[in-house]
C-alpha cells in the first residue's frame, strides 16, 4: 500500500470532456485530440483541474465508443497515439490531470477476442473469454439496463449456436471474468495506458463484472475481490497516485461498497444524490436530500464521492422509487420523447427551463456538498440539447465556441458534422457560446469561473465535514462545511419565493461572517437565532471569520 499518496482527487474539479465533441482541428466534422489541445487554455481559464475524457479506442461507435474494438490504439478519427501523448503532456503542463475510461465489462462484438471466441472450440479459454449458455434461462431475473432497446440480457449467436450474455447492447458481449486469461488481459490494458502517464481511470459499468446464479449479478463478492487485486497492482506499480473512479449506479450502501476498506476505488459517483437535487428544487423542500445523505455511509479516509449534475448519459432515475420517477418524468420531461430507458435525455440548462438562477442554485449545491464536483462539458455555458436525436446524442452535440459556422466547432460543411449543433430558438449557439460569454462579465461562464475559484480557495468544500442544520423552514437547505479552522455556512433557498429562516448557530457565537460571492460582511453570529432573508432560488456562502 502506498503511504504517501497525495489524494489529489479530493481537491480536484473534474471536467467531462468528449474528444469527439470539443473541437475539430482538421475540418472533418469530428472533434479530435489536436483540437482538444487547442482548447486547453480555455479549460485552464475555467479553472478545472482534471479532465475525464470519454472512450477514444477504435470502435464501431454503436455505443459512442463504449463498444471497444481494440484496447491498444486510438481511433484514427480522433488522432493517433502521439496526439494522445501530446494531449496528456499539454494537460499536465497546465496542471490538469487526465482520467481515461477503462471499459472492461464488455467489448464490441467486433473485437478480435469475440470474433476469435466464436471460432474457438467449446470449452476452450478463447471461447470462454465471453459468457455463453445453450439456454437463455440462466441468471433469471437480472434487470435489463437498456430497456428501451434490449428485450433480454442474452442474445443468440447463430454461428456458435449458443446465447451470449450482455448487460448493455446486444453488440456488447460481456467479458467472462471467471476466465483468468481475461483478468490478465485487463491488467495488460491498464499497464499499457498507465505508461503514458494517465492519472486515473473511470471504471465503466463496474458492478457487472461477475455473474452468479441466484443473484442480481451485480455487486457480487467476486467483483469486489477482483477490484482489490487490480487496485493492489496499480498502487504498487504507480505509487498510489493512479485514481480509480467507479461508475456504480447503485443505492448508497452498495455504491459505498466500491470503496472497499479503502482498497478498491478511490472515488465513486454519488448516483442517488443527483436526482434528489432536482427533486428538491422542484418540491421546494430539502427532505429528499437529507434522507439520502442520511442513508449514505461513512467512507474510508482515502476515498471521496464524485458528485455531478449531468453527464453524457440520460439523467438516470434508477436510484429513485417508482413514485419519484413518475414525478421526475412529469416535472422534467412532460414530452415523452425526452425520456429514455429509466431517465431523461436533457441537459442542465433545459432541465432548468433556461433559468440562470436555478442553474446557479444547482451548481451551488454541487460545489458545496461533500464530494469532488464533476462538470459536464457545455454546462458551464448553459448549452441546450436536442432530444430528437437518437439515443443519448441530444446531449452530445458539438461544443459551442462562437456564433460562426458550426458554432466555431469545425470548418466542415454543416451537413458533415458528427451531430448537428443546437439551433433551438431559446438555446441557439449564436448566443449560447464561449466567445459571447467570455466577453460578458455577468455570463454564466464567468459565474462558473468564479464559483470554481472560490471553491479552490476554501479547502472546507473539498475536504471538510458537513453539519446539517434543520431550520423550521423546510425550503431552506443549510449546512456548515468545516475543515481545520475554516467554517463555511451554506444557506440555499430551494423555493422560488423569498424566504425567511432562523438558524441556531449559538455554537459559533462571536464569529463574524463574510459572504463569499460578493465579499460583503453579513451579521455577526450571536447566541440568539440567526435570522436571514433570502431571495427566491437564492444562496449564501458565509465564511465565519
Ligand atoms: C456506461 C456509460 C454509457 C454506456 C454504458 C455501456 O454506463 O456511461 O454511456 O452506454 O456504460 O458501456
Ligand atoms: Ca477532426
Amino acid at each position: 500500500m502506498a503511504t504517501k499518496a497525495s489524494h489529489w482527487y479530493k481537491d480536484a474539479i473534474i471536467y467531462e470532456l468528449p474528444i469527439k465533441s470539443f473541437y475539430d482541428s482538421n475540418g472533418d466534422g469530428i472533434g479530435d485530440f489536436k483540437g482538444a489541445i487547442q482548447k486547453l487554455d480555455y479549460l485552464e481559464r475555467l479553472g478545472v483541474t482534471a479532465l475525464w475524457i470519454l472512450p477514444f479506442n477504435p470502435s464501431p461507435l454503436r455505443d459512442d465508443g463504449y463498444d471497444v474494438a481494440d484496447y491498444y490504439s486510438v481511433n484514427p478519427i480522433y488522432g493517433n497515439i502521439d496526439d494522445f501523448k501530446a494531449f496528456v503532456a499539454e494537460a499536465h503542463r497546465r496542471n490538469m490531470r487526465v482520467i481515461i475510461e477503462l471499459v472492461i465489462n464488455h467489448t464490441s462484438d467486433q473485437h478480435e477476442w469475440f470474433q476469435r471466441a466464436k471460432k474457438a472450440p467449446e470449452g476452450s479459454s478463447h471461447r470462454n473469454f465471453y459468457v455463453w449458455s445453450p439456454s437463455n434461462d440462466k441468471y433469471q431475473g437480472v434487470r435489463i439496463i437498456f430497456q428501451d432497446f434490449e428485450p433480454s440480457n442474452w442474445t443468440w449467436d447463430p454461428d456458435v449456436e449458443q446465447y451470449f450474455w450482455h448487460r448493455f447492447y446486444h453488440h456488447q458481449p460481456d467479458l467472462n471474468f471467471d476466465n483468468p486469461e481475461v483478468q490478465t488481459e485487463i491488467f495488460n490494458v491498464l499497464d499499457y495506458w498507465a505508461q503514458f502517464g494517465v492519472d486515473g481511470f473511470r471504471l465503466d459499468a463496474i458492478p457487472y463484472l461477475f455473474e452468479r446464479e441466484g443473484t442480481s449479478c451485480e455487486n457480487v463478492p467476486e467483483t469486489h475481490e477482483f477490484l482489490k487485486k487490480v487496485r493492489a497492482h496499480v498502487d504498487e506499480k504507480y505509487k498510489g497516485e493512479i485514481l480509480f473512479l467507479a461508475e456504480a449506479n447503485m443505492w448508497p450502501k452498495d455504491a459505498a461498497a466500491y470503496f472497499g476498506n479503502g482498497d478498491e476505488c478511490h472515488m465513486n459517483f454519488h448516483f442517488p444524490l443527483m436526482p434528489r437535487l432536482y427533486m428538491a428544487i422542484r418540491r421546494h423542500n430539502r427532505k429528499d436530500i437529507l434522507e439520502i445523505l442520511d442513508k449514505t455511509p461513512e467512507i474510508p479516509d482515502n476515498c471521496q464521492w464524485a458528485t455531478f449534475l449531468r453527464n453524457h448519459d440520460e439523467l438516470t432515475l434508477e436510484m429513485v422509487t417508482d413514485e419519484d420517477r413518475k414525478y421526475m418524468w412529469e416535472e422534467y420531461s412532460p414530452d415523452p420523447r425526452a425520456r429514455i430507458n429509466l431517465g431523461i435525455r436533457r441537459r442542465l440548462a433545459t432541465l432548468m427551463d433556461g433559468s440562470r438562477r436555478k442553474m446557479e442554485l444547482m451548481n451551488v449545491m454541487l460545489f458545496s456538498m461533500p464530494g469532488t464536483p464533476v462538470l459536464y462539458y457545455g454546462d458551464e455555458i448553459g448549452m441546450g440539447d436536442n432530444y430528437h436525436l437518437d439515443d443519448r446524442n441530444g446531449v452530445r452535440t458539438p461544443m459551442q465556441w462562437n456564433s460562426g459556422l458550426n458554432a466555431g466547432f469545425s470548418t466542415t460543411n454543416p451537413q458533415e458534422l458528427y451531430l448537428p449543433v443546437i439551433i433551438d430558438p431559446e438555446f441557439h449557439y449564436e448566443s449560447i457560446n464561449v466567445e459571447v460569454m467570455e466577453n460578458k462579465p455577468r455570463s454564466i461562464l464567468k459565474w462558473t469561473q468564479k464559483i470554481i475559484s472560490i471553491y479552490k480557495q476554501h479547502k472546507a468544500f473539498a475536504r471538510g465535514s458537513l453539519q446539517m442544520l434543520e431550520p423550521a423552514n423546510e425550503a431552506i437547505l443549510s449546512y456548515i462545511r468545516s475543515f481545520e479552522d475554516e467554517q463555511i455556512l451554506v444557506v440555499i433557498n430551494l423555493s422560488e419565493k423569498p424566504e425567511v429562516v432562523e438558524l441556531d448557530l449559538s455554537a459559533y457565537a462571536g464569529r463574524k461572517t463574510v459572504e463569499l460571492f460578493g465579499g460583503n460582511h453579513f451579521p455577526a453570529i450571536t447566541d440568539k437565532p440567526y435570522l436571514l432573508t433570502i431571495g427566491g432560488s437564492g444562496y449564501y456562502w458565509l465564511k465565519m471569520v
Side-chain angles (χ1 to χ4, degrees), residues 16 52 54-55 62-67 101 103 105-106 145-146 167-169 172 202-205 208 247 249 271 311-314 391-392 396:
E16 183 181 352
W52 154 29
L54 301 197
R62 294 177 73 189
D63 184 19
D64 217 7
Y66 286 95
D67 44 341
E101 293 268 353
V103 187
N105 175 65
H106 45 269
I145 297 168
F146 286 168
R167 291 308 304 277
F168 295 93
Y169 286 120
Q172 289 167 310
R202 171 184 179 269
L203 307 184
D204 181 67
Y208 318 118
E247 186 213 21
N249 184 359
F271 275 98
N311 64 19
H312 64 289
D313 290 324
E314 69 274 27
D391 201 337
R392 291 146 287 172
R396 300 174 177 179

Side-chain angles (χ1 to χ4, degrees), residues 74 99 112 168 171 207 225-226 278 281 330 338 360 382 386 396 413 457 474 501 516 534:
V74 174
I99 301 165
E112 64 161 337
F168 295 93
H171 52 77
E225 278 156 33
F226 176 69
Y278 289 89
I281 69 158
E330 282 167 0
E360 286 186 15
N386 180 359
R396 300 174 177 179
N413 176 336
Q457 289 164 41
E474 290 191 4
V501 64
L516 290 176
I534 182 165

Side-chain angles (χ1 to χ4, degrees), residues 203-224:
L203 307 184
D204 181 67
I206 211 66
Y208 318 118
L209 298 188
F210 285 80
E211 298 75 35
R212 287 293 176 267
E213 196 59 83
T215 73
S216 64
C217 292
E218 303 184 356
N219 319 319
V220 301
E222 288 81 355
T223 295
H224 287 289

